[in-house]
Amino acid sequence: MEKKSEKLPESMEFISKVSEDLVAFQKRRVEFCIEKLKEEGEPIIEWKIYRKAGIRSDVSNEVKRFISLKVTQYESLNNK
């Protein structure tokens, strides 16, 4: 499609509106994996999130911070 994108301007516009970037996709996968770990009764720890979400360690700093934040939030809720 990209090679003939000039012939499909409306389609390309729609695709650009509904598609998400890589960081947003990875964050969504992290959220999904955390929910799965909760359902399975597994501990919510960073390395399990990385493995279950299929995210490599060389991911962007934004996603790393997001994972750390989610783990910290989960721990603070469970320690009360």
Side-chain angles (χ1 to χ4, degrees), residues 19-63:
S19 64
E20 63 186 350
D21 64 346
L22 180 62
V23 171
F25 172 71
Q26 289 172 335
K27 286 181 177 181
R28 189 166 48 85
R29 287 205 40 133
V30 166
E31 291 278 355
F32 177 78
C33 290
I34 289 172
E35 290 303 315
K36 285 298 230 186
L37 288 170
K38 286 179 187 177
E39 289 173 10
E40 296 169 358
E42 294 285 327
I44 308 298
I45 48 182
E46 286 190 33
W47 72 265
K48 282 197 175 202
I49 295 170
Y50 279 96
R51 177 168 289 167
K52 194 158 186 92
I55 296 174
R56 294 174 29 174
S57 60
D58 63 349
V59 73
S60 71
N61 287 333
E62 185 177 348
V63 175

